[in-house]
Amino acid sequence: MPLRIRFAVPMHRSPARALTIRRGERQARVMVEVPSFLIADDHPMVRDALASSLGQTFPGARISLAATLAQARAVLEAEPETDAVLLDLDMPGMDGLTGLALLRSEHPTVPIIVVSAVREAATIRRAFEFGASAYIDKSAALEEIAAIVRAVLDGEVFAPPESAPVDSFAQRAAQLTPQQWRVLALMVHGDQNKQIAYKLGVGEATVKAHVTVILRKLGVRSRTQAVIEARNLALPPA
């Protein structure tokens, strides 16, 4: 079970509702936090259950829903001050842990809580290496999930299992920029430089430059090796 670590690092919050009592009667200011969440899962029942749990735990919380990686990215683009993301690793567009890494690189200040049915220690460790703040088994009780979400909002991060092996490729891949992740994801899908350039709206020379940097950051010698290693980030069967 991951260890819980408290970091004294300030975390951004959504705009709070303020209640003010004027001085004359004694001035006081009471801040009522109203967090905002994104639940990204392709199963409607899971989304509804998580939304209900968060709604009960955090009255008045603003909760957005997404069923694909593309929808999750769109929500975060529109609401970059989201307080936490509850993310399923096995939904359309995720490509295993690649989707987690992309969200992490695009929104480095938003805590990501993975909620997954995958229980392999190596996968859990990779998720933390790519920046997850917590990893929750989908079989966990809703009360436990809510407690972990509250802990993450309070600045806690759950460390990966000590016994899990270090995945150096995952650590190197975590250094890619958002655009480099997009290029790598299209490489994994089999696109050539010309196709990648068209899809990203950039020149082919720019794509070639990105590929060169990607290979160097990943510590691999060829495009084929990069694609093979990246495909290994896909999730094992749940």
Side-chain angles (χ1 to χ4, degrees), residues 53-217:
S53 177
L54 292 179
Q56 293 175 17
T57 306
F58 305 94
R62 293 182 289 111
I63 301 174
S64 300
L65 305 176
T68 67
L69 176 63
Q71 291 177 6
R73 292 176 66 190
V75 170
L76 290 176
E77 184 68 27
E79 302 179 26
E81 295 301 307
T82 297
D83 285 293
V85 177
L86 278 69
L87 181 69
D88 177 23
L89 294 180
D90 187 19
M91 68 177 182
M94 287 295 291
D95 289 328
L97 290 163
T98 304
L100 166 61
L102 180 59
L103 289 180
R104 176 78 290 143
S105 62
E106 289 180 336
H107 302 279
T109 64
V110 179
I112 298 178
I113 301 168
V114 173
V115 183
S116 175
V118 178
R119 300 172 183 173
E120 282 200 355
T123 299
I124 296 173
R125 187 172 189 88
R126 287 189 197 131
F128 281 105
E129 288 172 351
F130 282 131
S133 294
Y135 193 105
I136 305 174
D137 193 312
K138 275 193 174 181
S139 64
L142 291 177
E143 295 79 7
E144 179 183 351
I145 294 176
I148 292 175
V149 171
R150 185 182 294 281
V152 169
L153 291 183
D154 287 341
E156 296 184 17
V157 173
F158 292 73
E162 292 288 339
S163 59
V166 174
D167 189 326
S168 58
F169 179 82
Q171 291 175 329
R172 295 193 300 271
Q175 306 307 311
L176 298 180
T177 66
Q179 188 73 336
Q180 289 163 0
W181 266 111
R182 296 184 191 104
V183 172
L184 179 60
L186 292 173
M187 288 167 56
V188 171
H189 289 163
D191 288 355
Q192 298 303 309
N193 289 351
K194 187 173 183 179
Q195 296 168 299
I196 295 173
Y198 175 77
K199 291 181 178 180
L200 296 182
V202 299
E204 191 171 349
T206 300
V207 174
K208 290 180 180 178
H210 277 312
V211 172
T212 299
V213 175
I214 289 170
L215 298 185
R216 175 170 54 78
K217 284 187 175 182

